[in-house]
Amino acid sequence: MPRRLSQVPEIMKYILMFSISLMMLYGCATQSISQDQTSDEMATLHGSYWGSLRWYKAAIDGYDGIDFGLKPVMMVKLLPGEHSITAICFTGFDPLTTGMFAITRTISFQAEAGHSYQVRCGSDGSGKTFWIKDKTSGKVVGGYAPQ
């Protein structure tokens, strides 16, 4: 019996390390959409790959105060209205094609029901710039696109 009691702290240490690893891997934030909303009543925001040899990758790291932690996503559904998006830009190459360098910015835009948007990032000569483009009209609706 005394031997089992001495093993409890060791087992608890492994359980704690495993739990922390899972939280870091999958993040703590979850995103849910009301079941009352149809696709036509929602707006969709997509991440993007673009540039020469897909040099830039823009992903969504959160919106309206919801942080996705260590797991940015490539698509979210949004209710119509004003939104504040935290975007992350990866540039360069690595074996997993996620990029060598990452920079985050916050962009605000007005989402319309039934519209599809894309977050993008690039360089304007003085640094990184982020923008949100309406995929239907091609217009920039948030941020600043390089000329």
Side-chain angles (χ1 to χ4, degrees):
M1 188 76 143
R3 187 168 188 216
R4 283 187 158 203
L5 289 176
S6 66
Q7 291 177 347
V8 171
E10 191 70 22
I11 291 170
M12 293 303 290
K13 183 172 80 171
Y14 288 116
I15 291 171
L16 180 62
M17 288 182 354
F18 180 74
S19 299
I20 290 172
S21 297
L22 283 177
M23 286 189 331
M24 289 180 68
L25 183 63
Y26 294 106
C28 297
T30 57
Q31 176 192 344
S32 62
I33 298 170
S34 170
Q35 298 298 328
D36 298 336
Q37 302 293 327
T38 66
S39 293
D40 293 340
E41 297 174 310
M42 304 293 288
T44 307
L45 177 64
H46 299 271
S48 63
Y49 288 96
W50 77 283
S52 177
L53 301 174
R54 295 166 59 107
W55 181 260
Y56 297 102
K57 174 186 176 184
I60 303 143
D61 201 29
Y63 68 95
D64 299 337
I66 299 170
D67 183 11
F68 295 152
L70 300 173
K71 193 169 182 184
V73 298
M74 293 299 284
M75 195 239 351
V76 292
K77 295 240 182 217
L78 302 167
L79 291 169
E82 184 75 20
H83 293 282
S84 179
I85 306 299
T86 303
I88 186 165
C89 182
F90 298 98
T91 58
F93 294 107
D94 71 2
L96 300 175
T97 69
T98 56
M100 297 290 285
F101 307 102
I103 298 170
T104 59
R105 293 268 162 63
T106 301
I107 314 162
S108 295
F109 82 109
Q110 182 75 28
E112 294 183 39
H115 282 239
S116 185
Y117 301 93
Q118 187 175 54
V119 63
R120 297 187 113 184
C121 63
S123 179
D124 65 357
S126 63
K128 293 287 180 262
T129 183
F130 291 73
W131 66 99
I132 296 175
K133 178 179 171 181
D134 186 323
K135 290 173 70 175
T136 305
S137 69
K139 293 181 182 178
V140 174
V141 295
Y144 168 75
Q147 299 300 334

